Amino acid sequence: MRNAFQRLLLLAALCLTALTVSPVLQAAAKPGFKLCWSIYAGWMPWDYAQQHGIVKKWADKYGIDIQFVQVNDYIESVNQYTAGGFDGCTMTNMDALTIPATGGVDSTALIVGDYSNGNDGILTKSAGDGIAALKGQPVNLVELSVSHYLLARALEKAGLSERDIKVINTADADLVAAFTTSDVRTIVTWNPLLAEAQKQPGSRLLFSSADIPGEILDLLVVNSATLRQHPELGKALTGAWYETLAVMRGDSAAARQARTAMGQASGTDLAGFDAQLAATYLFATPQEALTFVQSPQLKSTMQLVAEFSFRHGLLGNGAGSADVTGIATPSGVWGNADNVKLRFSDEFLKLAAARQL
């Protein structure tokens, strides 16, 4: 009897322990993911989504934890993702190719959020019309950045090449101040620096990303292996993104409040943030993004980006050609199909468009 009673006591104790410990174990077992972002108009919705519980809502739906971490230095954020410090990161299509993909990190562009539609531009105080007027002149920009790509495309469209101008590498933090001096006549930069530099007397916009629509893309990139192992991460992030875009769209009080918060978090106000958004083509719905991602234009754009990157040594010292790294898109692979390291996925977009998230 005593043994039976002891067993009952032991069973009761074990049950009590299970009730006490089980939630802790469950919480510890919940998969957690960290993603990094930096300040840019097209990426501010991620911060808003986290601060206002939208990310948590979707993470909870799929039984995971998601945390967005701001990294002030953009390139450093991409480097940290490449080094394995984060499961995902916001970045441009060119940087996705030349940093993680070239570095051997198989990465998936989960969200193609927007393309620059005037947020990047070439400003000049020099006389003369059009890009042809830059021939023989120095141009200040952040070398090997999307600004450099924009300049190369502008020159190409004008029948010129980089041999016809002189690129002066200038840190982004110094560009606006440099443009105020008489020595610096032409710069290439992005917003909000572009908007600030345009205030200089006599400045003229020669060319902008609106002249090459759909080429400078702003993405949320996620480690491909992580995404394959945890498709719930892709579902939660996609759901959170399009819910946030729905909140901020339009002129309702709630939409204005959301954009005001995003503007303040990025160092401006509602008017300033709206001005940046006006030069940013946001894919407002999953169907719109799906149409773009599935278009052959995406593959053609990535070929242009890869060829620019190869010419400037951004695909690694051992790269013998622009197609050394494979880039997978829904319309096909460009580059080495046996070495695909950058993927544009439509898997989760299809679910979002069909309201199946």
Side-chain angles (χ1 to χ4, degrees), residues 282-348:
L282 278 170
F283 295 110
T285 67
Q287 184 57 59
E288 192 175 0
L290 183 62
T291 299
F292 178 83
V293 168
Q294 292 180 336
S295 167
Q297 180 193 349
L298 177 59
K299 189 170 74 165
S300 299
T301 290
M302 291 312 300
Q303 178 178 348
L304 289 171
V305 170
E307 289 171 346
F308 168 86
S309 301
F310 175 69
R311 290 197 303 271
H312 291 83
L314 296 175
L315 298 182
N317 293 330
S321 61
D323 59 1
V324 63
T325 299
I327 304 165
T329 75
S331 66
V333 174
W334 190 86
N336 188 350
D338 295 324
N339 185 40
V340 173
K341 295 297 181 184
L342 180 59
R343 307 170 192 272
F344 288 82
S345 172
D346 62 0
E347 175 184 357
F348 302 98

Side-chain angles (χ1 to χ4, degrees), residues 224-259:
S224 297
T226 300
L227 196 58
R228 280 194 297 269
Q229 186 176 359
H230 295 281
E232 66 272 25
L233 174 62
K235 293 176 182 179
L237 288 168
T238 303
W241 176 254
Y242 287 107
E243 179 174 333
T244 306
L245 293 193
V247 168
M248 65 185 282
R249 255 195 341 265
D251 202 40
S252 68
R256 290 172 62 84
Q257 185 178 35
R259 296 199 307 276

Side-chain angles (χ1 to χ4, degrees), residues 161-199:
S161 73
E162 289 182 57
R163 293 188 297 272
D164 295 308
I165 53 97
K166 182 179 181 182
V167 170
I168 307 295
N169 188 30
T170 308
D172 55 348
D174 301 327
L175 271 171
V176 176
F179 196 53
T180 65
T181 69
S182 58
D183 294 334
V184 176
R185 307 296 296 171
T186 304
I187 64 171
V188 191
T189 189
W190 55 82
N191 274 323
L193 300 177
L194 181 65
E196 187 63 28
Q198 281 181 290
K199 297 176 184 177

Side-chain angles (χ1 to χ4, degrees), residues 68-280:
F68 276 86
V69 178
Q70 181 183 352
V71 178
N72 290 328
D73 186 310
Y74 164 64
I75 290 297
E76 179 60 22
S77 73
V78 182
N79 288 337
Q80 287 187 32
Y81 161 75
T82 304
F86 292 94
D87 298 296
C89 186
T90 56
M91 63 188 78
T92 68
N93 53 327
M94 189 176 94
D95 293 326
L97 173 63
T98 60
I99 303 178
T102 294
V105 179
D106 194 323
S107 299
T108 297
L110 176 69
I111 301 291
V112 179
D114 67 82
Y115 62 77
S116 178
N117 197 34
N119 261 327
D120 300 79
I122 302 173
L123 282 181
T124 189
K125 294 180 292 187
S126 297
D129 294 327
I131 294 297
L134 298 182
K135 190 170 184 178
Q137 294 192 25
V139 178
N140 293 65
L141 49 73
V142 178
E143 199 170 9
L144 308 182
S145 67
V146 292
S147 293
H148 200 160
Y149 173 80
L150 180 73
L151 175 65
R153 291 287 286 128
L155 291 168
E156 179 185 324
K157 284 180 171 289
L160 302 174
S161 73
E162 289 182 57
R163 293 188 297 272
D164 295 308
I165 53 97
K166 182 179 181 182
V167 170
I168 307 295
N169 188 30
T170 308
D172 55 348
D174 301 327
L175 271 171
V176 176
F179 196 53
T180 65
T181 69
S182 58
D183 294 334
V184 176
R185 307 296 296 171
T186 304
I187 64 171
V188 191
T189 189
W190 55 82
N191 274 323
L193 300 177
L194 181 65
E196 187 63 28
Q198 281 181 290
K199 297 176 184 177
Q200 288 299 311
S203 68
R204 295 181 294 115
L205 185 67
L206 284 183
F207 191 91
S208 84
S209 50
D211 296 305
I212 50 169
E215 293 192 26
I216 299 177
L217 303 172
D218 300 311
L219 316 171
L220 178 69
V221 170
V222 177
N223 181 280
S224 297
T226 300
L227 196 58
R228 280 194 297 269
Q229 186 176 359
H230 295 281
E232 66 272 25
L233 174 62
K235 293 176 182 179
L237 288 168
T238 303
W241 176 254
Y242 287 107
E243 179 174 333
T244 306
L245 293 193
V247 168
M248 65 185 282
R249 255 195 341 265
D251 202 40
S252 68
R256 290 172 62 84
Q257 185 178 35
R259 296 199 307 276
T260 297
M262 293 179 204
Q264 290 173 344
S266 61
T268 186
D269 54 14
L270 176 60
F273 189 66
D274 279 349
Q276 292 178 37
L277 285 181
T280 305

